[in-house]
Amino acid sequence: MRTIFRAPALGLAACLALTACGGGTPADTPAAQAPTTAPAEDAATATLTIWADQKRSETLKPFAEAFAKENGIKAEVVAVAQNQQQTFVTASQAGKGPDVLVGAHDWIGNLVQNGLIDPIQLTEDQLSGYVDVARKAVTYDGQVYGIPYAVENLALFRNTDLAPKAPQTFDELVETGKKLKEAGRVEEILGYTISQQDGQSGDTYHMYPLYTSGGGYLFGTKPNGDPDPADLGVGTPESIAAFEKVAALGEKGAGALKRSFTSDNSAALFADGKTAFLVAGPWRLADVRTAGVKYDVTPVPPFKGGDPARSFVGVQAFFVASKGQNKALAQEFVTNTLATPEVAQALFDAEPRMPALKTALAYAAGKDPDVAKFEAAAADGVPLPAIPQMVAVWGPFNTLIHAVVKGEPVAPAVKAAGKAIAEQLGQTG
Amino acid sequence: MTMLQTPARRRRAGTGAPPPRTRNWPGSASGVAGRVLALGLILGIAVWAAVPLVSSGAWTGVAITAVATGIALYAYLSPRRLPAKYLLPTTFLLVAFQVFPVLYTMSLALTNIGDGHLGSKQEAITAIETSSVRREAGSAEFRLTVAERDGALVFLLADPATRATYAGTPDGLRPLDGAVPGPGGRIAAADGYTVLTGAQAAARSAEITALTVPVDGGAIRSQGLTRAYQGKAVLAYDAGCDCVTGEGRIWRSDETQGRFVAADGHALPQGWQVGVGLANLTAALTNPKINAHFAGVFAWNLVYAVGVVVLTAALGVAAALVLHHRRMRGVRAYRTLIVLPYAMPAFAMLLVWRDMFNTDFGLINRLLGLHTDWLGTPLTARLSVLLVQLWLGFPYMFLVATGALQTIPDEYLEAAEVDGASPWQRFRQVTLPLLLLALAPLLVSSFAFNFNNFNGVFLVTSGGPFPSDNPTVGATDLLITYTFRLAFGQQGAEYGLAAAMSIYVYLIVAVISIIGFRRTRAFKEVT
């Protein structure tokens, strides 16, 4: 009797707490949004919350603490390991989001349609301090929504022992790779990420340079510079022609591109000297350097007689949350502290990504010769589209890449992907 | 337990009277203390839950807490009401983890909640107006000092180009004389104004953001605590026509879509959540894009769930029978090995399997010297996901079957042997029916689990391979992975549609499970 009684009581207590919490959460929101008119004595309790990924949060911590000390407030840098965009959306909507968010520029479209980030008003002078592609990337619908700090794009890594001369065209690259393979010096013609990590669908991000060099495009451009979802480039004759060129390098063609290549295993091939070429971003620099391979970095070469091979440029930026509790502080921190060259340099020292601020870029280029090489590779790059409609592209386009590389008939596959994207865009657009 | 009871027993023995069968609580001092502690805990948690609810004015939450606490005290403050003592915790858990989520899912299915439609209309209007504020091109950027006068906020503004100084309030901009210049071109002090310290300004952050100083052709707003700019809200909401105007256009509120739509069909991106009735539920049935592939996906889903259950049960039972044999040696070591897959985190194992299936670099092809594109063709991909789930799932069946085998009395089998039954007959007629008695309910629940085994498919094949002429439905897609892509793969997340789809999946699983459980009762009658 005694033991029977006690255990359920504890269980009850636990679920009581749970139901109480469950009932309470939705009702919290209005209170959280009410304007705070706290008296000045409460100042010490104001806390500026910053969300960043693990690496960035470590670097930003001292800057946040210095800012907090200067303004007599508290600052908290929270490392959000996974699923940052979705976590931010959910938490902000529940009134529990941060004041400042560190993230990628292609989140902007979705965050704006959810009303979760504010434009940042910068003067022309301030804006001109950033590299062009970064400025373009954080501008959405004519407004600047984030302060960019780093730029990432694809480039061609080349093993200089195996291939001393940088190929001028992609055809030349494949030729060189083939010869090396026939001579038994390498196992693969090149390392080129075709598949997502799951091996089951293609990788649009990595395919984009070849697709654009073949003459394809995803979306047209609106007069204000944003991508235009009404002008879909997938399914056009140009896109079919582009994928014909990709198919010629695929499993039933030259065998240079294979579905079994993922980002990880293609980088491992290059690091082990089993291939002379690798198309990857600056995030692979550390691996390549650790492996001790002699390498050089050049832009991804275009097809012979083709358009430039445009790499998608991803820009990392700081955002001010619309539903943060301390918006004025957040704006102050973002525009006056995070936008300084000191922060950009500290971030570069923590991880070698090309800084978006020109002065910091000069500093980085002085420290690391590869920075200038990636900068050169970014010259033809375009910002990853930030419009929410991009979500409709990934799935069908990824599938299309797999079909083409596998050697399926190109034209029907491209048309089917174009149709699937158009249908998804039309459904709610 | 026994020790605790002794004093009471001794006392009763001492009195010599029959133990009083009254409403008295049985038990010792420590027992009473334990009960007091538990009740205190209930009350403590109730208060802990209620305080934030009261302070935020969430009266529904307060009421739920009060009622729940009341019921708990009613049940546990009396030595009677024994059934309630058992029923209450399970009922609460059922409500918290089953009923509430189901009802919540159903309520979501009736709305258009999703990306772009998360909040209220008021939030959407705020977002539209805020994001439409544009800096006047080429206008001065003021150095800002936040000050106050008689408790009201004032912007002390310095124009670095002209060196002019102003005081800005909601009433407008006035020139300011006698301002003391400070570092960074900002005003350090001014007569009649109290400059706020960083901490004071921080505390009034929301007020500072909200303050606009009207000037010709726009307004001056703060950008942080030290800068201000002149800008103009391009879009404005007009309550009179329930519309947003600006840039020479009008976007009228459309309460069925939950967004502002212009005459030409252009909609502002920021929408709000509205009820859409049964639209999501009917969309699943009538929208050709959704239901076109339903039959094919459903059929494979059934094959997958049944296949996994049959295969895991067969292998699990077979392994258990082998290890149950009297002359088997090293049983303990084998059992440990067999249970190993069950003890590993399924999530990680699924990813490892996925990489083992890689055509060029995967372990399977390398070991067998093959060049099979396992996950690339429909048939091999389906076999692969079945194989992976067999590996992950059979140890469970093995464990259950091992336990059940030990409860089957040897006499039955011996009797059968005496009657001249062959080993196969003994298994078929005696062991298997008795085993199934124990296994059948678990087979049904295993079916329900595997019918919705999202991880088992999504982490290995992502639903693929996809036919090149139709990238929306893959060969290994289950209903749950297919609907996941539908609901989250388009214009961001569409929670309303996802909720509607999950209701259908839930209904299908429920119906099949009910039939299954009915059938298992039939087994009982056979034996």
Side-chain angles (χ1 to χ4, degrees), chain A residues 38-398:
Chain A
E41 297 87 71
D42 278 358
T45 60
T47 305
L48 184 73
T49 313
I50 299 131
W51 278 13
D53 59 319
Q54 189 68 44
K55 205 157 228 165
R56 254 48 64 185
S57 70
E58 278 161 26
T59 315
L60 294 179
K61 207 162 241 167
F63 293 100
E65 275 161 10
F67 176 81
K69 209 172 159 198
E70 193 184 315
N71 287 287
I73 55 157
K74 282 189 230 159
E76 196 185 355
V77 184
V78 182
V80 182
Q82 273 213 329
N83 228 347
Q84 296 162 32
Q85 188 190 2
Q86 191 55 49
T87 313
F88 173 73
V89 170
T90 314
S92 294
Q93 198 54 41
K96 309 217 183 289
D99 300 297
V100 174
L101 176 71
V102 182
H105 86 272
D106 59 308
W107 301 353
I108 290 176
N110 185 36
L111 297 183
V112 167
Q113 73 170 345
N114 284 324
L116 297 179
I117 52 171
D118 274 0
I120 297 173
Q121 308 293 344
L122 297 176
T123 58
E124 290 81 359
D125 268 3
Q126 287 166 321
L127 273 175
S128 63
Y130 294 94
V131 295
D132 283 350
V133 68
R135 208 171 50 214
K136 266 187 228 157
V138 294
T139 306
Y140 180 75
D141 198 16
Q143 296 272 56
V144 174
Y145 276 94
I147 300 277
Y149 69 85
V151 174
E152 290 174 314
N153 55 278
L154 294 174
L156 178 71
F157 287 74
R158 184 179 89 256
N159 185 323
T160 46
D161 283 339
L162 294 166
K165 201 169 134 276
Q168 294 307 305
T169 65
F170 210 83
D171 312 61
E172 189 188 329
L173 183 160
V174 172
E175 247 356 271
T176 313
K178 258 186 183 166
K179 274 180 201 149
L180 287 167
K181 192 178 174 184
E182 276 156 19
R185 296 183 66 193
V186 296
E187 285 182 15
E188 299 291 346
I189 296 171
L190 86 156
Y192 196 109
T193 309
I194 292 297
S195 288
Q196 303 276 337
Q197 215 47 46
D198 64 13
Q200 262 314 291
S201 58
D203 188 320
T204 302
Y205 179 84
H206 283 86
M207 181 51 67
Y208 197 68
L210 289 186
Y211 178 62
T212 47
S213 181
Y217 67 99
L218 287 182
F219 291 120
T221 311
K222 280 196 218 170
N224 70 358
D226 285 345
D228 182 4
D231 178 8
L232 179 65
V234 185
T236 58
E238 294 86 7
S239 63
I240 294 172
F243 271 110
E244 292 286 2
K245 290 190 174 177
V246 173
L249 300 176
E251 291 172 22
K252 289 195 180 156
L257 307 178
K258 294 180 181 180
R259 283 169 298 151
S260 53
F261 289 153
T262 65
S263 171
D264 283 348
N265 65 26
S266 53
L269 279 175
F270 184 80
D272 294 345
K274 289 177 181 167
T275 183
F277 302 103
L278 171 71
V279 173
W283 51 88
R284 287 292 172 202
L285 275 172
D287 295 351
V288 171
R289 285 175 185 168
T290 315
V293 177
K294 272 195 197 159
Y295 71 96
D296 193 13
V297 175
T298 50
V300 180
F303 286 119
K304 197 175 174 185
D307 293 343
R310 300 187 189 282
S311 161
F312 268 142
V313 178
V315 173
Q316 304 294 318
F318 306 112
F319 304 110
V320 174
S322 298
K323 297 190 175 172
Q325 307 291 303
N326 309 293
K327 219 191 275 185
L329 279 170
Q331 287 169 343
E332 181 67 22
F333 182 58
V334 166
T335 48
N336 287 340
T337 302
L338 292 182
T340 55
E342 288 77 29
V343 171
Q345 289 171 14
L347 287 166
F348 173 79
D349 290 339
E351 197 179 35
R353 300 204 269 192
M354 189 178 126
L357 198 60
K358 284 176 184 167
T359 50
L361 183 59
Y363 161 86
K367 267 188 87 172
D368 185 342
D370 288 339
V371 167
K373 294 172 187 169
F374 273 99
E375 193 191 347
D380 284 326
V382 289
L384 200 56
I387 52 173
Q389 284 85 352
M390 240 343 245
V391 182
V393 173
W394 298 118
F397 205 87
N398 287 349

Side-chain angles (χ1 to χ4, degrees), chain A residues 4-5 12 15-16 43 71 86 114 121 124 126 141 143 197-198 200 259-260 323 331-332 336 391 427, chain B residues 35 68 72 86 92 115-116 123 131 133-135 199 224-227 287 360 373 375 461-462 490 495:
Chain A
I4 289 165
F5 169 66
L12 166 77
C15 68
L16 197 70
N71 287 287
Q86 191 55 49
N114 284 324
Q121 308 293 344
E124 290 81 359
Q126 287 166 321
D141 198 16
Q143 296 272 56
Q197 215 47 46
D198 64 13
Q200 262 314 291
R259 283 169 298 151
S260 53
K323 297 190 175 172
Q331 287 169 343
E332 181 67 22
N336 287 340
V391 182
Q427 196 184 31
Chain B
R35 283 196 290 273
Y86 287 97
F92 271 118
D115 276 335
E123 288 175 80
S131 64
V133 176
R134 283 170 201 265
R135 208 181 89 83
L225 299 172
T226 58
R227 291 164 198 259
N287 186 335
D360 288 319
D373 186 5
L375 304 181
T461 66
S462 309
Q490 302 181 0
Y495 299 111

Side-chain angles (χ1 to χ4, degrees), chain B residues 2-22:
Chain B
T2 354
M3 229 173 66
L4 287 173
Q5 275 172 352
T6 13
R9 248 187 236 157
R10 206 176 288 149
R11 197 179 60 229
R12 282 178 203 155
T15 58
R21 311 194 61 186
T22 62

Side-chain angles (χ1 to χ4, degrees), chain B residues 33-80:
Chain B
R35 283 196 290 273
V36 169
L37 217 66
L39 282 170
L41 204 64
I42 296 180
L43 279 177
I45 288 174
V47 172
W48 172 73
V51 167
L53 289 173
V54 171
S55 70
S56 65
W59 300 113
T60 332
V62 176
I64 292 173
T65 315
V67 170
T69 316
I71 294 175
L73 294 180
Y74 173 78
Y76 291 105
L77 272 179
S78 154
R80 294 180 183 176

